[in-house]
Amino acid sequence: MDEAAKRLFVGIKITRAIQEDLDSPAADVKQYFDASNDDLQIVDFGETKFIGRYLNDGFPAANLDDVSRNVCSIVKLITRGKRIEENDVQIYSC
C-alpha cells in the first residue's frame, strides 16, 4: 500500500478477555461495533486484532483526546466494566 494512502486508526489491542466479551456481547452494546455503525470497528493488522475507529483525513489533532476517551468508554461498556486504561488506546497507521 502507498504510504500516502494509509489511514490512522485509534484503538485497543483485542486481548483474550476482550475477545470473550466480543464473542458474547450484551444486546445493548452490540450496536457499537455493528458493521453498519461507525462507532467502532474490529480490524486485523497482521496477526493482531484491534477494536477502535479510523480517523478521517484532516482530523483535528485537538480532538484526539475525545476519540481516545470515546473508544475507551465504549470498550469498557462492551467488556462490562473491565479495567481499560486510556494509555491502552493507541494510534496505528494502516
Side-chain angles (χ1 to χ4, degrees):
M1 176 183 278
D2 183 312
E3 286 295 317
K6 289 189 175 187
R7 296 175 63 194
L8 294 179
F9 182 83
V10 177
I12 297 173
K13 182 178 177 181
I14 296 178
T15 63
R16 184 177 307 203
I18 292 174
Q19 185 62 55
E20 289 172 3
D21 290 325
L22 290 171
D23 289 341
S24 59
D28 59 337
V29 298
K30 193 172 186 173
Q31 66 189 3
Y32 291 116
F33 56 97
D34 187 300
S36 64
N37 193 330
D38 288 336
D39 285 327
L40 292 182
Q41 297 173 334
I42 296 172
V43 297
D44 295 319
F45 298 149
E47 305 251 335
T48 307
K49 290 172 77 173
F50 294 86
I51 186 167
R53 66 176 275 209
Y54 283 101
L55 300 179
N56 294 326
D57 287 342
F59 187 86
N63 294 354
L64 280 173
D65 282 344
D66 293 339
V67 172
S68 175
R69 280 192 299 275
N70 182 259
V71 168
C72 191
S73 295
I74 294 174
V75 172
K76 282 181 185 177
L77 287 173
I78 292 169
T79 60
R80 298 168 181 91
K82 284 191 175 104
R83 187 178 181 116
I84 305 290
E85 300 291 336
E86 284 189 30
N87 288 339
D88 292 338
V89 181
Q90 298 184 5
I91 300 173
Y92 303 90
S93 175
C94 51

